[in-house]
Amino acid sequence: MTTAVSTGAAITAAPWLPFAEHEPDRGALRLYCLPHAGGSASAYRSWFGRLPGVSVRPVQPPGRETRLRETPHTTMAALVAELADGLLAVEDGPYAVYGHSLGALVGFELLREVRRRGGPEPVHLFVSGSAAPGDDPVDDGPPVAAMTDAEVVALLRRIGGTPEWMLTDPTVLRMILPPFRADFTVKESYVCPPEPPLTVPVTALAATDDPRAGSADVAGWRDQTLGRFRVHTLTGGHFAVLEQPGVTHRHITEALRATAR
């Protein structure tokens, strides 16, 4: 387990955790939150102070917001390798990981990368809005990398979660389309390598009207862990977990309490 952080390691970790100073370690457990494709750390800012005994740590991938000038990753392996460097540079206590949509797959592969390096495993993995690794992905049409900007905007409208004013502002589109394309390239090129299941408990969240990850799709995560597994279903679409934070927080809190027992 990592017990010390050098100055260089701290610098390595800092870009990934842009809001750390806004959420002090109010408890013994940190919850690292990974965003959806094209999303950013800001997706979880409203979670600050809402989870008892938990310090929320939104994760910022390259190419957006505070890391806008950086080139976003286009492969899962490169993304997870750099993210694991940052996590292991600062983590020396109990922690958990939450990922939504693409973030769920990134969180899963992050845990496997940490395990390969002999690092400290989290106490829990939370996933939402994503079918299990290796299951048939949603057919979004041709690869996003080959789509025109207009076609990508149409896809964003179908998925939901992006305000219409952002989709009609050329200046904003120049900022949000590159990371979205990169993230979808990560998703479309991702192949789940065969490895033993995780041993950590997994809680999966689905939504009744989510065409990308309904209850049956999310249930497949059961095969990815030897630990305790539960599925909860919210009413709503693909972003129900973010649109109904109170419900999501209750499931997280209950799962962490059960893990601690």
Side-chain angles (χ1 to χ4, degrees), residues 73-83 113 116-117 186 190:
H73 289 291
T74 55
T75 67
M76 181 69 78
L79 171 59
V80 167
E82 186 183 323
L83 177 54
E113 178 67 14
R116 286 191 289 268
R117 298 188 189 190
V186 170
Y190 171 61

Side-chain angles (χ1 to χ4, degrees), residues 91-221:
E91 195 48 66
D92 60 357
Y95 71 100
V97 173
Y98 183 104
H100 179 63
S101 197
L102 174 63
L105 299 175
V106 174
F108 171 72
E109 286 298 336
L110 171 65
L111 266 60
R112 301 214 294 180
E113 178 67 14
V114 168
R115 181 174 64 181
R116 286 191 289 268
R117 298 188 189 190
E121 291 189 333
V123 300
H124 211 101
L125 172 64
F126 297 92
V127 294
S128 62
S130 173
D135 288 359
D136 292 335
V138 176
D139 184 3
D140 289 311
V144 168
M147 288 184 178
T148 65
D149 286 354
E151 289 171 331
V152 175
V153 169
L155 175 59
L156 283 167
R157 284 196 176 100
R158 290 201 304 273
I159 294 173
T162 305
E164 183 63 23
W165 69 266
M166 297 180 70
L167 299 178
T168 56
D169 187 321
T171 301
V172 174
L173 285 177
R174 283 195 293 273
M175 291 188 293
I176 68 174
L177 289 186
F180 182 81
R181 287 182 183 277
D183 286 355
F184 251 75
T185 301
V186 170
K187 173 182 174 291
E188 292 165 348
S189 63
Y190 171 61
V191 177
C192 181
E195 289 185 22
L198 301 173
T199 58
V200 304
V202 175
T203 294
L205 304 178
T208 55
D209 301 315
D210 185 355
R212 311 185 72 78
S215 296
D217 303 305
V218 170
W221 283 93

Side-chain angles (χ1 to χ4, degrees), residues 209-258:
D209 301 315
D210 185 355
R212 311 185 72 78
S215 296
D217 303 305
V218 170
W221 283 93
R222 181 185 304 276
D223 298 330
Q224 298 297 335
T225 184
L226 300 177
R228 182 189 293 116
F229 177 80
R230 290 202 65 182
V231 175
H232 300 286
T233 303
L234 286 69
T235 300
H238 187 60
F239 290 97
V241 293
L242 298 178
E243 295 164 350
Q244 303 171 51
V247 179
T248 304
H249 296 165
R250 185 175 72 247
H251 290 313
I252 293 173
T253 300
E254 291 172 353
L256 292 176
R257 285 174 180 166

Side-chain angles (χ1 to χ4, degrees), residues 20 23-32 51 53-57:
E23 179 74 353
D25 282 328
R26 61 183 76 253
L29 187 140
R30 296 170 182 164
L31 178 64
Y32 295 98
L51 292 159
V54 172
S55 180
V56 174
R57 289 287 188 267

